[in-house]
Amino acid sequence: MENNVFTGQYKSRKRKDIFFKVLVLIPSGIVVALLVLIMAQVVVNGAKALNLDFFFQQQKPFGEVGGGIVQAIVGTFMVLAIAIVIALPFALLSSLYLYEHNGSRRANGLLNVVNTLQGIPSIVIGVVIYSWVVVPQKTFSAFAGGIALSILMLPLMISMIKESLDMVPPSYLEAALALGVPRWRAIVEIILPAAASGILEATGLGIARAAGETAPLIFTAFGNPFLSLNFKGPVSALPLVIYEYIKSPYDDWHRKAWGAALLLVLFVLALNLFIGSRKKR
Amino acid sequence: MNDRRFNALLGFAALVIVFIFAGFLFTLVVQSLPAVKQEGAAFLYGSEWNPVTTRFGALPFIIGTVMTSAIALIIAIPLSLSAGIVMGEYVNSSWVRSVLNTLINVLASIPSVVFGLWGIEVVIPLVRNLAMLVGAPPYGAGILSASLVLAIMIIPYMSSMTREALMNVPAGLREGAFALGLTKQEVVTGIALPFAKKSIFAGILLSLGRALGETMAVTMLIGNATRIPTSLFSLGNTLASVIASQFNEAASDVHRAAMMALALILLIITMIAGWFGRTMMSKGTGAYGK
């Protein structure tokens, strides 16, 4: 009798256990299915747009079929180049500040500012850079877009570089100092090279994060139907082209929007995978 | 170069970062003054947004933002918690785990504008059919479409943060519970989840911060209407999406100032969500000396 009570209870507990497992497995299955579906649609729809013209031709006039999005590909590289040139030195120097003043009140304050910056919606960065750069210059420009993206990538890069600096064994610095090397040289020539791979990863992730951003570019780089290498003038970018093309009534442009999306996703993924594979080593 | 100059250089960079942030607040406050002066406190609760008559009330967008984020959270929480629990507690094979991790990371790295594109081609037709089924206006675009895509976008963050929170539960607690003969479900709901609840809640808050400020996907899906949304199928706007769709076409200086004020409201809301999330996170990981 006692035994029956025991097995009865056990059975109901076992049933609950299985029920719970199903309860969490089904939604997880839905999530995985959605992810696969989205990826598959980007690849399948995007692949239809890809051909040589797509990569090397400029946009055709409204409504005409054909042409490509070379202006957006080049524009994306232009704004990203500006962004990284601005962001990397500031990210390096301010994460070195955090490294040197680790735990101090000022460093903690800076860390708080960095975390808060990280949470700023990208559209807000767009409107502020509009009034900082576009209004005084009286023109949209690749330059303004690059500045907006640099502010977007800064906080992420600072916290990542800070992390990789902290991973360098303190004995490196101590050994250098004990040999009489000035502190700044020890940091520049010993600590920074030791953290080089982390710095590279931070740069890669910063680029990956910024490459897909549209909101900060709408009011800064603005977009441009023509190929432009002028940093002082408006340029197009892959995300801008997606946003603009899908709103248009032309099927050919819709196809190109998907193509641009595939290109963008592949670029961001390649960066992420590259960094992921480095991290494992 | 010497140590003093080097330190000065570092301090300068740190100051620049702080000034960027201070400059953001300063610029937004100063630039939004014309609109705030005109509307006063009514800017926050006024329900009319009309650039032509220059009436600017932010209420429709505040409601739109709260509605889309809330619905997105309601959809995303059960899905993300389940996925996080499965990844953190049920998957034993390292192969499956790394596939799931990669998948989640891939989804997290897809740009928002691509989600918008996907939403336009996939979600909007679905929602349109649903609207016709229930007799609502069949726009397709609207609050529901935006919320659905928003939910999908925050799932990767929320589920990986849930997984991380569960993995931070000390192994000893779990082993002890198993040794006492508890079932997996009892260990998860009775030991692991209560232990990790603060970190999980922090993850939800941080995801909320993302949802509130998310711009492109929402702009592409919400239908850009400047009235207070009354149902799931209403067209609407969020704080972020109205800026994205109107800023470049601002009809007047007051109109532009009003959008600066919207950006300021958005910044403050997301700052509060992020601050709460981070405080909660440090409390969550601070427990149990880990």
Side-chain angles (χ1 to χ4, degrees), chain A residues 41-56:
Chain A
Q41 276 175 322
V42 171
V43 172
V44 170
N45 290 330
K48 287 180 199 155
L50 301 187
N51 54 36
L52 273 185
D53 279 359
F54 183 77
F55 291 99
F56 295 110

Side-chain angles (χ1 to χ4, degrees), chain A residues 115-216:
Chain A
N115 282 333
T116 313
L117 273 178
Q118 185 140 30
I120 292 185
S122 56
I123 185 92
V124 175
I125 298 180
V127 298
V128 171
I129 298 306
Y130 171 86
S131 54
W132 283 2
V133 183
V134 176
V135 171
Q137 287 195 326
K138 298 195 178 67
T139 171
F140 298 104
S141 63
F143 185 60
I147 292 182
L149 292 186
S150 74
I151 291 178
L152 187 102
M153 51 170 80
L154 252 179
L156 177 75
M157 288 176 66
I158 293 175
S159 46
M160 279 191 73
I161 295 177
K162 162 78 168 41
E163 240 167 64
S164 66
L165 289 174
D166 285 342
M167 295 221 298
V168 178
S171 53
Y172 285 26
L173 184 64
E174 286 156 13
L177 294 178
L179 289 172
V181 180
R183 195 177 176 90
W184 73 270
R185 279 196 67 177
I187 287 171
V188 172
E189 291 178 25
I190 309 284
I191 303 294
L192 279 187
S197 75
I199 295 169
L200 189 70
E201 281 156 16
T203 311
L205 272 193
I207 295 175
R209 165 94 209 275
E213 281 293 342
T214 322

Side-chain angles (χ1 to χ4, degrees), chain B residues 128-142:
Chain B
R128 188 179 294 135
N129 289 340
L130 183 67
M132 285 197 272
L133 215 64
V134 300
Y139 300 121

